[in-house]
């Protein structure tokens, strides 16, 4: 097969191992990364075959870079069978918000707004591969953004909550730093960005699935406690977290297994349902089977999802 997947943030962690798993299934991977040298080195170190991957520059924290990426991707001339929205930053110890090129709070800008623009721009390209039996848009969600599940109820620093979107309503520029317009909480900004992504995926499904056939879904691969996502967490947390997840919560998943789960959702025939959130459960058991996990009322709130869509379109310059 000559299927092609774009994976954002494929230079590390889940995205890198998803690239490896898909390359091993015969796919070509476009690694969409902000650090080209790091991406090339990571691909080599992970053993991703040279003819199974390309590296293209993408900085999700700059909307101009997203536009440039779309142009460069089309120049490659490959079909777009799958788009995996994976890249993210998690900076729980920031005291003041950092800002994207456009002046938006950095976690929401990178994890959500950059992906919102990218997904919208690439819908026609995904639509074009539906006839090949592909055309999937897969988004990394997380348990901490889903208050239906135990992991989403942990109030440290606060559960994901977009409120009435007051921060987006007022333009999301300084001094505003949170989607709900409330004071900056860096760990919550990450959870909010993931909840917004899960709402976006539902909204994409509602707006475009019937007309295009594109499959839109999110997944929670398990707690991949050893990825560099946690590099800004306190050192003691980084030491204890994998042990805690292995022995207490039993949520621990290795990086190769997390990558294989993403690859399954991208490529396998059992994942053609659109509008669902895939999970293997929070307590990892050998041979666990994927299932469609219900989302929280917050992620299912249709009125707020529609308003979030309109405000996000305005922030990234879409009509
Ligand atoms: P990593 O930190 O290992 O990987 C994050 C990737 O995103 C890196 O490739 C990073 O690039 C990239 N990235 C960060 N900022 C930008 C940017 N501005 N533009 C382009 N790329 C960028 O984290 P994980 O692999 O753990 O996380 C991947 C996804 O999985 C995230 O969406 C996360 O929410 C999700 N997830 C993770 C879980 C976990 O337990 N780890 C659990 C559930 C979901 P660089 O290498 O240059 O830093």
């Amino acid at each position: 097969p000559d299927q092609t997947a774009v994976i954002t943030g494929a230079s590390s962690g889940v995205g890198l191992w998803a690239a490896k798993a898909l390359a091993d299934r015969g796919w070509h991977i476009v690694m969409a990364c902000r650090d080209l040298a790091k991406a090339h080195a990571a691909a080599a170190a992970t053993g991703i075959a040279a003819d199974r991957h390309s590296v293209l520059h993408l900085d999700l924290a700059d909307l101009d870079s997203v536009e440039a990426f779309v142009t460069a991707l089309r120049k490659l001339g490959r079909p777009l069978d799958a788009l995996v929205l994976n890249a993210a930053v998690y900076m729980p110890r920031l005291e003041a918000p950092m800002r994207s090129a456009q002046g938006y709070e950095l976690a929401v800008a990178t994890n959500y707004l950059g992906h919102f623009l990218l997904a919208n721009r690439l819908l026609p390209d995904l639509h074009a591969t539906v006839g090949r039996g592909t055309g999937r848009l897969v988004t990394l969600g997380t348990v901490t953004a889903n208050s239906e599940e135990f992991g989403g109820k942990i109030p440290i620093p606060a559960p994901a909550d977009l409120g009435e979107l007051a921060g987006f309503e007022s333009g999301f520029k300084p001094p505003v730093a949170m989607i709900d317009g409330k004071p900056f909480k860096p760990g919550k900004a990450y959870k909010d960005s993931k909840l917004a992504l899960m709402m976006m995926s539902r909204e994409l499904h509602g707006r475009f699935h019937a007309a295009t056939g594109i499959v839109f879904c999110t997944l929670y691969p398990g707690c991949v406690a050893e990825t560099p996502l946690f590099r800004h967490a306190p050192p003691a947390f980084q030491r204890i977290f994998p042990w805690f997840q292995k022995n207490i919560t039993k949520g621990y998943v290795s990086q190769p297994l997390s990558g294989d789960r993403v690859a399954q959702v991208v490529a396998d025939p059992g994942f053609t349902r659109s509008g669902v959130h895939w999970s293997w459960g929070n307590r990892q058991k050998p041979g666990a089977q994927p299932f469609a996990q219900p989302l929280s009322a917050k992620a299912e709130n249709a009125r707020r999802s529609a308003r979030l869509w309109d405000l996000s379109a305005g922030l990234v310059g879409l009509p």
Side-chain angles (χ1 to χ4, degrees), residues 163-178:
E164 287 302 324
L165 312 173
F168 268 19
E169 294 279 0
S170 62
F172 206 50
K173 293 266 174 81
V176 178
M178 299 294 283

Side-chain angles (χ1 to χ4, degrees), residues 9 11-12 14 34 38 59-60 86 190 194 224 227-228 231:
S11 52
S12 152
V14 177
R34 60 178 169 175
K38 182 177 176 183
D59 180 358
L60 287 159
N86 164 80
Y190 169 81
K194 302 304 291 187
V224 203
T227 75
R231 70 193 102 166

Side-chain angles (χ1 to χ4, degrees), residues 61-249:
D62 183 352
L63 299 172
D64 294 336
S65 171
V66 175
E67 300 285 9
F69 172 81
V70 171
T71 305
L73 177 67
R74 289 181 180 148
K75 277 207 189 114
L76 277 187
R78 290 183 167 274
L80 180 63
D81 293 285
L83 171 61
V84 182
L85 306 181
N86 164 80
V89 286
Y90 173 58
M91 297 168 293
R93 289 202 290 173
L94 285 183
E95 283 177 8
M98 290 173 69
R99 297 282 166 180
S100 72
Q102 282 71 32
Y104 302 135
E105 187 281 317
L106 194 61
V108 168
T110 305
N111 307 355
Y112 172 62
L113 289 171
H115 280 142
F116 181 92
L117 178 61
L118 183 67
N120 274 280
R121 284 282 184 249
L122 291 178
L123 286 177
D125 308 68
L126 285 169
H127 187 195
T129 63
V130 168
R132 292 155 57 90
T134 51
R136 295 189 197 173
L137 201 168
V138 175
T139 301
L140 270 290
T142 182
V143 65
T144 49
N146 183 14
S147 57
E148 282 302 287
E149 300 176 67
F150 174 71
K153 294 187 172 47
I154 296 170
I156 309 168
D161 186 359
L162 310 188
E164 287 302 324
L165 312 173
F168 268 19
E169 294 279 0
S170 62
F172 206 50
K173 293 266 174 81
V176 178
M178 299 294 283
I179 296 177
D180 63 9
K182 293 189 178 157
F184 181 57
K185 283 189 188 158
K188 179 175 180 290
Y190 169 81
K191 293 187 195 177
D192 285 355
S193 74
K194 302 304 291 187
L195 174 56
L197 276 174
M198 288 162 66
M199 291 165 75
M200 177 185 84
S201 182
R202 293 290 166 119
E203 200 63 23
L204 282 162
H205 168 74
R207 286 172 189 245
F208 302 112
H209 174 67
T212 63
I214 298 170
V215 171
F216 301 97
C217 63
T218 54
L219 80 145
Y220 173 62
C223 183
V224 203
E226 279 149 352
T227 75
L229 186 69
F230 305 101
R231 70 193 102 166
H232 304 293
F237 174 90
Q238 293 183 51
R239 273 197 309 278
I240 293 165
F241 192 50
W243 177 87
F244 182 76
Q245 293 292 346
K246 273 179 199 160
N247 297 295
I248 307 298
T249 69

